[in-house]
Amino acid sequence: MANPNQSQGGLVISSKSNSFQFYEFPCQEVKNLFKFVSLKENQCALDENQPGFYNEIIADNTMAVSFKEIVAHEIDALEEGRVQTQKLYVVEEGHFVIFKDLLITFGKNSGVKSGLSLIFKFSKVEPRPVFITPEKILKISDQMAFIKTMDFDKMEHPTIKKLRFDGKMETLADISPFHNYTSNVKSVKGVLNTPFGIRTMKISSNGKIQISKKKEEDLDSEIFLFIFKSIIKQ
């Protein structure tokens, strides 16, 4: 997940996914949290059937860590002409990038959920998914070079109940009068100019952010702070 080195801005984050969940996390003791995940009893030991953290790295009050969870799945197998239910154990990974006021997750839900539970247990600070208001999403759309898609729901329209726009929209006037029928914008996807280059981003009301990147491209962890502070919280 996190490569053991730094870029000019922050940590280098490797991810096959381009989808990240943002959480508000006002925890000032990132270094103490790093010590916690590094403890032997909290570390992953698959040979002992112990889920836990691994691959932790910290630099300048920013840390990255992964969590391996062992998940049991029941499957039906045919043995000697009879169907037998068997348990299949698989390892699912969740990944975390943690700042003093922000936490990012990606990966499998079971790994993310278990890792978050331990982080909350130690820090006593509950990571809360970022909620982005429809008004804020509309403001973000104004910052985009152009809008590719915009999702609406709960339309107060006589016949249209849900609406999705696709294509190039340079201003919100391009979708009038439809946006006047709702204050509930679920997401916006468009092109943004960032200190990390021109990126296509999809920003959703539940705090899930998709960032365009090449399949094997690593991301500077600072791009998450930029999105949070300069786009979401501005």
Side-chain angles (χ1 to χ4, degrees), residues 167-200:
K168 182 174 180 178
M169 292 170 274
E170 294 184 350
T171 69
L172 288 180
D174 293 339
I175 59 175
S176 295
F178 297 104
H179 72 276
N180 295 325
Y181 287 99
T182 181
S183 61
N184 194 14
V185 187
K186 291 179 64 178
S187 68
V188 62
K189 180 179 180 181
V191 176
L192 280 162
N193 188 19
T194 80
F196 307 91
I198 296 173
R199 299 274 181 177
T200 297

Side-chain angles (χ1 to χ4, degrees), residues 50-67:
Q50 176 178 309
F53 294 103
Y54 74 101
N55 201 26
E56 62 274 6
I57 180 174
I58 189 169
D60 299 327
N61 275 325
T62 302
M63 66 173 279
V65 67
S66 297
F67 191 95

Side-chain angles (χ1 to χ4, degrees), residues 11-93:
L11 298 177
V12 175
I13 306 299
S14 297
S15 168
K16 293 181 181 179
S17 171
N18 70 338
S19 182
F20 307 90
Q21 179 67 55
F22 280 54
Y23 294 81
E24 298 203 49
F25 186 61
C27 175
Q28 302 301 309
E29 301 299 329
V30 177
K31 291 181 179 179
N32 288 341
L33 182 57
F34 180 79
K35 292 177 182 177
F36 170 75
V37 303
S38 303
L39 293 174
K40 184 178 180 180
E41 60 264 32
N42 296 323
Q43 288 277 296
C44 173
L46 293 182
D47 55 339
E48 300 174 9
N49 293 321
Q50 176 178 309
F53 294 103
Y54 74 101
N55 201 26
E56 62 274 6
I57 180 174
I58 189 169
D60 299 327
N61 275 325
T62 302
M63 66 173 279
V65 67
S66 297
F67 191 95
K68 287 185 178 180
E69 181 59 279
I70 302 171
V71 181
H73 294 284
E74 289 190 349
I75 61 171
D76 289 335
L78 188 62
E79 291 186 4
E80 299 179 354
R82 299 180 62 184
V83 176
Q84 303 286 342
T85 300
Q86 299 177 349
K87 277 190 177 182
L88 176 68
Y89 292 92
V90 297
V91 175
E92 297 186 346
E93 300 180 9

Side-chain angles (χ1 to χ4, degrees), residues 81-113:
R82 299 180 62 184
V83 176
Q84 303 286 342
T85 300
Q86 299 177 349
K87 277 190 177 182
L88 176 68
Y89 292 92
V90 297
V91 175
E92 297 186 346
E93 300 180 9
H95 309 288
F96 309 84
V97 187
I98 303 170
F99 307 87
K100 288 194 295 184
D101 53 2
L102 173 67
L103 186 150
I104 308 294
T105 66
F106 57 98
K108 294 291 186 179
N109 184 59
S110 60
V112 168
K113 186 176 179 180

